[in-house]
Each structure stands twice: as C-alpha cells, then as structure tokens.
Amino acid sequence: GQQLNQSPQSMFIQEGEDVSMNCTSSSIFNTWLWYKQDPGEGPVLLIALYKAGELTSNGRLTAQFGITRKDSFLNISASIPSDVGIYFCAGQRGSGTYKYIFGTGTRLKVLA
Amino acid sequence: GAGVSQSPSNKVTEKGKDVELRCDPISGHTALYWYRQSLGQGLEFLIYFQGNSAPDKSGLPSDRFSAERTGGSVSTLTIQRTQQEDSAVYLCASSTSQGNQPQHFGDGTRLSIL
C-alpha cells in the first residue's frame, strides 16, 4: 500500500542530544499525526496537527505542519533512553477522506 | 481499560488453517480500522468501518481476508487458508466519527504461520 517518505530510516544518538525527523509527500495533506511505537505495543499518538504552519509541543516533543502541506517535522529535545522506539508520521488528505497514510517509520536508538 | 483491546495477543498456527482476530474499540468510537504491520515495516491499511456504512475493503490483500463488525462495536478479522506471508502484527484502531480525528491503536495480534 501507499506510504509516506519518512527520514531518516534509523538513527543512533547520544543521550541528551536533540533529534529531528521528517515526513514528505507528493500530495497535500490536511492533517498530520505523529505516533511512537514501542516493541510489542501499538502506536501511541504523540501530536496531532491540523493547520499548515502549525507548531505544536508535547513536553520535549515539537512537531510542525509544513507550510506547503506536503511535509511535517518532529523534533525531540534532550533525548533520554526511553525515547527509543519507532516513530511514525501519518497524513490525511482532507474532509470526507478518512484514510490515514502512514510513513515508513524512523527507528530511534539512544545511547546512554 | 478504556483503550482498544485486541485478542489474542499472539497466535501461532499451521499453514492452511483459518484464524480469527478480534478487536474491541474504545466505547463510543464509531470508526474502526484494521492494519497489517510486517516485521520492521510501516502500517498497511486493510479495511475501515464507519457506523452503519458499507466498509471500505480496498486494502484487503486477497479474498482470503474478510472482516465484519457486529452491532457497530466489536470487529473480527478472518484469514482463511493462511499462508506464511500472512505472518505479521495485525493492528486495530478506532476513532470518533469525525473524519480527521486521530486513531487510537490496540497492541495488536502477532500472527505467526508455521
């Protein structure tokens, strides 16, 4: 099925470093979501974005809805070991379109 | 709990057998989704239910896959004559009826076909 381009695919970082990842599409989206998935569990919603240019924070996490509406970014500040996991973006094209298309995931590993 | 509940959490079966996976959505959520996640991959949309409307089955990979939702609540995903390539984690999600509301996921059923 169709998936969004998400990068990087994986990253190893030192504890305390900041992390950035992004999701891009050739299509315009009206909603962007960011999820985190821990091993053996389902994805958990981190941040939801509904407006182009919107910047939303959730603790150390900040996500932005790209102004072109074709991309979104997630930043994690001062990473800690429990940030390890797989981060997924998901985009929805608009009203009347209920399907979310998911990114391929960014696998984050934090080195203590 | 108040979250999406899936059962069983793990299922191992022999090739050729039929399997049923169950999803109990969050109370009051009228939209229900099934996804498949292969090892190390993203989420592949399978099927969507919204209230009493006809389900969107466009993501089902073959006619061996089917799903139903009884009484607008619990859903069952059935895979007939399982094949080894069916091995994956099957995730269920639910959301409110409004189209752009986020989906909330269960922990999935890990299906292994021997």
Side-chain angles (χ1 to χ4, degrees), chain B residues 59-74:
Chain B
L60 295 179
S62 77
D63 59 7
R64 297 187 294 105
F65 288 72
S66 63
E68 62 178 24
R69 189 178 185 191
T70 54
S73 181
V74 172

Side-chain angles (χ1 to χ4, degrees), chain A residues 35 37 42 92 98-100, chain B residues 37 56 58 99-100 103 106-107:
Chain A
Y35 288 88
Q37 186 176 29
Q92 188 190 61
Y98 48 81
K99 287 183 186 178
Y100 277 94
Chain B
Q37 185 176 30
D56 180 342
S58 61
N100 66 350
Q103 301 169 20
D107 286 338

Side-chain angles (χ1 to χ4, degrees), chain A residues 1-3 31 33 35 37 39-45 48 50 86 88 92 96-100 102-105 107, chain B residues 33 35 37 39-45 48 55-56 58-59 89 91 98-108 110:
Chain A
Q2 184 181 3
Q3 292 187 327
T31 302
L33 307 176
Y35 288 88
Q37 186 176 29
E41 299 183 7
V44 174
L45 181 69
Y50 298 104
I86 305 176
F88 290 102
Q92 188 190 61
T97 305
Y98 48 81
K99 287 183 186 178
Y100 277 94
F102 281 79
T104 48
R107 188 179 298 272
Chain B
Y33 305 75
Y35 293 88
Q37 185 176 30
L39 186 64
Q41 300 298 311
L43 279 67
E44 175 189 5
F45 168 80
Y48 162 79
D56 180 342
S58 61
V89 175
L91 290 161
Q98 294 174 285
N100 66 350
Q101 290 305 300
Q103 301 169 20
H104 299 270
F105 285 84
D107 286 338
R110 182 174 301 275

Side-chain angles (χ1 to χ4, degrees), chain A residues 11-32:
Chain A
M11 52 194 315
F12 290 78
I13 61 168
Q14 292 289 335
E15 182 178 0
E17 289 184 352
D18 296 344
V19 175
S20 292
M21 61 190 77
N22 69 80
C23 211
T24 60
S25 170
S26 57
S27 303
I28 289 174
F29 287 97
N30 285 346
T31 302
W32 286 96

Side-chain angles (χ1 to χ4, degrees), chain B residues 8-64:
Chain B
S9 54
N10 288 281
K11 177 72 176 179
V12 180
T13 192
E14 294 179 346
K15 175 182 173 182
K17 301 286 189 182
D18 298 350
V19 295
E20 284 190 354
L21 313 179
R22 176 189 168 102
C23 174
D24 200 340
I26 292 172
S27 178
H29 281 192
T30 58
L32 186 148
Y33 305 75
W34 282 98
Y35 293 88
R36 179 168 68 177
Q37 185 176 30
S38 300
L39 186 64
Q41 300 298 311
L43 279 67
E44 175 189 5
F45 168 80
L46 296 178
I47 189 169
Y48 162 79
F49 295 90
Q50 172 60 287
N52 295 320
S53 302
D56 180 342
K57 306 178 182 180
S58 61
L60 295 179
S62 77
D63 59 7
R64 297 187 294 105

